[in-house]
Amino acid sequence: MAFLNMEQQTWAFTFGILGNIVSLMVFLSPLPTFYRVYRNKSTEGFQSTPYVVTLFSCMLWILYALLKPGAELLVTINGVGCVVETVYLAMYLVYAPKAARVLAAKMLLGLNVAVFGLVALVTMLLSDAGLRVHVLGWICVSVSLSVFAAPLSIMRQVIRTKSVEFMPISLSFFLVLSAVVWFAYGALKKDVFVAFPNVLGFVFGLAQMALYMAYSRNRKPAAALVILPEQSKEEAAEGKASCGGAEVHPIDIAEVHDLQAVVVDVDVEPVTYAAASGMVDGSVGRPRAPEQLVIKPDMVTVIAAEA
């Protein structure tokens, strides 16, 4: 155990508190993502892997901090992390499709139950306390590196789709800040197991921010879409349809296929919507929900928004 003078202890404690605060922001940064999951009742293209691996990492760091004297600040933030990641994964399991839900459950049982149990058992069987800390420390380093590398799959998706929709900039920013603070804490505490993985965390965080800045410029404003009743198609084709004074242009089918995403926000009364479209559930005569409707290219017109 490295002995620290009073000034080093003070600075280490300060950076430890800052690390707790920043890491809490990292844990909470996916909140908008999971609010979206809750609102849409769907996980869409989001993956469970980063959250499963992060939960596993938090569990290991708690075990490491309990075995090493003077590491109480690692216990506090990783305890909070375990709670937050568990809530995220619970929401994911509720709203994910069946295949994704089964995969996430298998990963949880395999990694967070079986592997963690094996690591804890092997560690406790070691008689030497110093060796116990070193073995667990290197395991924590390996898992932390995988946590920092976990967003590589998201980065690959960003490059492939040229869209940053599934990579929030707030998470990347707080990852960089967290890596800097915890590296300083580890260096002051002379704890290589804390300092070393945050070097890679800093690099990956910067890479994510660079990707975000590169591909966020490619985003185009979403076109406003209006679903017209069958009897209005001919009028729209002749340019006679209007909506709130805006200019309405017909769309070619080819143009519709070129769109990356189509977002329709229907804000009308269900009965009026059903009456206008003529679409109801035949069994009980209830209006069909907007998300059940299939939008065909020849039913859609684009409203040109004025700059």
Side-chain angles (χ1 to χ4, degrees):
M1 177 180 176
F3 293 96
L4 309 178
N5 59 40
M6 186 62 66
E7 185 179 1
Q8 287 176 318
Q9 290 178 5
T10 302
W11 279 107
F13 180 78
T14 302
F15 276 104
I17 294 296
L18 287 174
N20 273 249
I21 296 171
V22 175
S23 294
L24 179 61
M25 296 299 102
V26 173
F27 289 134
L28 295 180
S29 59
L31 273 179
T33 296
F34 280 91
Y35 174 72
R36 172 177 170 177
V37 168
Y38 170 76
R39 185 187 62 197
N40 296 338
K41 303 294 186 290
S42 169
T43 55
E44 300 174 351
F46 300 110
Q47 301 177 0
S48 63
T49 305
Y51 308 103
V52 173
V53 177
T54 301
L55 177 60
F56 181 57
S57 177
C58 289
M59 294 166 66
L60 285 175
W61 279 112
I62 289 176
L63 184 59
Y64 170 82
L66 291 174
L67 294 176
K68 182 170 184 177
E72 294 80 9
L73 291 175
L74 292 178
V75 175
T76 55
I77 187 56
N78 285 288
V80 172
C82 283
V83 173
V84 173
E85 298 301 323
T86 300
V87 172
Y88 290 158
L89 287 168
M91 289 186 62
Y92 188 92
L93 291 174
V94 170
Y95 295 116
K98 183 178 180 181
R101 189 185 308 132
V102 170
L103 178 61
K106 288 180 178 179
M107 290 177 61
L108 276 170
L109 291 174
L111 193 62
N112 299 83
V113 177
V115 176
F116 178 78
L118 181 62
V119 169
L121 178 62
V122 171
T123 302
M124 293 305 173
L125 289 176
L126 297 174
S127 57
D128 184 78
L131 180 61
R132 198 181 296 171
V133 170
H134 273 75
V135 170
L136 189 56
W138 282 115
I139 294 174
C140 288
V141 167
S142 302
V143 174
S144 292
L145 294 180
S146 67
V147 169
F148 289 127
L152 282 175
S153 59
I154 305 298
M155 295 170 68
R156 199 161 46 240
Q157 183 178 3
V158 169
I159 295 172
R160 187 177 68 250
T161 63
K162 295 181 172 57
S163 170
V164 295
E165 182 181 7
F166 300 114
M167 191 178 71
I169 187 62
S170 58
L171 178 59
S172 304
F173 171 76
F174 283 117
L175 279 175
V176 171
L177 190 57
S178 175
V180 171
V181 173
W182 282 114
F183 173 81
Y185 172 84
L188 288 167
K189 296 280 286 186
K190 296 180 173 56
D191 191 334
V192 66
F193 303 120
V194 175
F196 175 67
N198 284 289
V199 175
L200 188 61
F202 177 77
V203 173
F204 274 116
L206 284 182
Q208 290 179 55
M209 294 179 70
L211 265 183
Y212 187 93
M213 289 186 287
Y215 288 106
S216 62
R217 299 174 184 174
N218 297 333
R219 289 187 296 181
K220 299 179 181 179
L225 302 179
V226 173
I227 303 175
L228 296 178
E230 291 289 332
Q231 61 268 25
S232 301
K233 287 184 193 176
E234 293 78 8
E235 295 180 2
E238 297 173 4
K240 295 180 181 179
S242 63
C243 182
E247 187 179 356
V248 179
H249 304 279
I251 297 182
D252 269 349
I253 295 177
E255 292 178 347
V256 173
H257 289 310
D258 288 338
L259 292 175
Q260 293 184 355
V262 176
V263 179
V264 179
D265 186 7
V266 181
D267 188 24
V268 294
E269 293 295 329
V271 175
T272 305
Y273 185 82
S277 61
M279 297 182 180
V280 295
D281 291 336
S283 57
V284 292
R286 294 177 300 176
R288 183 179 296 177
E291 59 267 23
Q292 293 176 281
L293 297 175
V294 178
I295 303 172
K296 299 180 181 178
D298 62 345
M299 294 172 59
V300 177
T301 57
V302 168
I303 302 175
E306 296 181 2

